[in-house]
Amino acid sequence: SQQGEEDPQALSIQEGENATMNCSYKTSINNLQWYRQNSGRGLVHLILIRSNEREKHSGRLRVTLDTSKKSSSLLITASRAADTASYFCATDAAGANSKLTFGKGITLSVRP
Amino acid sequence: GAVVSQHPSRVICKSGTSVKIECRSLDFQATTMFWYRQFPKKSLMLMATSNEGSKATYEQGVEKDKFLINHASLTLSTLTVTSAHPEDSSFYICSARSSIGTQYFGPGTRLLVL
């Protein structure tokens, strides 16, 4: 069953604007990872945030994690048309046999 | 970042044939690899966890005799779709987990069964 649930499901913004995507999950996690997928392609790992971390940055990406609310957000600043893709959050559940569980994904469209 | 390759990237086959997909971690050793299936505009669904030197762990509802997984080395896992049928047509993606927990994904294999 899918644990991560992203919202919104689809987001359309103008180039230069910021894009904020949210993810909620249900169970305890070791870490949460955000991925990007261009149409018909594999997934590109964007950022991993551990359960004891609250915020991480990577270039134009900023990820936050609130374990009390079981939620995470991905912020893309100064968006570009090339950021157009689907974005997925995936949770690595706590426990010996951890595995990633993916949300349904968010389709981001950045208009030039 | 780490690189995971998949081969072939695309395959078309006749119903009833078997198809093997290879997944390789190119610059790190992966004791655990994963196989996912993705339908158009849908999320990834985990099929099985592949452990080097041991049997794969399949998710509920995934037929282990249909989807044979072999993890022969720390850098190679294979998925064989046996006696493929049109409903097996899908996008299959593998991933390899690094020692720190990051999962790196392959580019995917698009399977079309006629």
Side-chain angles (χ1 to χ4, degrees):
Chain A
S1 61
Q2 292 181 335
Q3 167 157 244
E5 292 286 339
E6 299 97 337
D7 78 86
Q9 291 188 338
L11 181 62
S12 180
I13 59 173
Q14 198 73 35
E15 199 166 34
E17 294 178 340
N18 295 341
T20 300
M21 292 167 271
N22 302 300
C23 169
S24 61
Y25 57 92
K26 296 177 183 176
T27 63
S28 297
I29 60 171
N30 282 328
N31 61 67
L32 184 146
Q33 304 182 39
W34 283 92
Y35 290 84
R36 162 199 170 119
Q37 184 181 37
N38 287 81
S39 181
R41 302 291 190 93
L43 273 71
V44 173
H45 183 262
L46 296 177
I47 202 163
L48 179 153
I49 187 165
R50 299 191 184 286
S51 60
N52 61 354
E53 297 176 310
R54 291 295 166 259
E55 187 172 313
K56 283 188 85 169
H57 297 254
S58 176
R60 292 184 296 115
L61 306 180
R62 172 176 168 256
V63 168
T64 64
L65 179 65
D66 187 334
T67 52
S68 66
K69 295 181 180 178
K70 291 186 167 56
S71 67
S72 173
S73 68
L74 170 66
L75 169 67
I76 303 175
T77 60
S79 64
R80 305 167 182 168
D83 294 328
T84 295
S86 292
Y87 291 81
F88 294 90
C89 74
T91 51
D92 190 349
N97 298 314
S98 67
K99 56 190 177 185
L100 283 184
T101 304
F102 282 81
K104 295 179 181 178
I106 299 169
T107 301
L108 174 65
S109 298
V110 181
R111 302 185 302 275
Chain B
V3 178
V4 175
S5 69
Q6 269 184 252
H7 177 80
S9 59
R10 186 183 298 264
V11 60
I12 301 172
C13 68
K14 293 183 179 179
S15 186
T17 60
S18 294
V19 175
K20 180 187 280 189
I21 303 170
E22 290 187 351
C23 177
R24 294 181 185 272
S25 58
L26 298 183
D27 52 2
F28 68 102
Q29 293 183 330
T31 55
T32 305
M33 290 184 171
F34 303 87
W35 287 95
Y36 294 83
R37 182 173 180 174
Q38 186 181 33
F39 291 102
K41 300 189 186 300
K42 297 290 185 181
S43 186
L44 279 74
M45 292 185 60
L46 179 64
M47 299 174 64
T49 302
S50 171
N51 300 295
E52 188 266 338
S54 65
K55 292 183 179 180
T57 303
Y58 290 82
E59 294 300 300
Q60 193 172 10
V62 178
E63 299 176 58
K64 61 181 182 180
D65 294 330
K66 173 76 171 176
F67 299 99
L68 299 179
I69 291 172
N70 184 272
H71 195 151
S73 74
L74 288 172
T75 59
L76 173 64
S77 177
T78 60
L79 168 69
T80 301
V81 183
T82 61
S83 186
H85 288 97
E87 58 266 29
D88 298 325
S89 298
S90 194
F91 192 52
Y92 293 88
I93 309 176
C94 74
S95 73
R97 185 161 65 193
S98 73
S99 58
I100 62 170
T102 302
Q103 273 190 234
Y104 296 97
F105 284 78
T109 297
R110 189 161 300 283
L111 171 64
L112 177 61
V113 185
L114 302 176

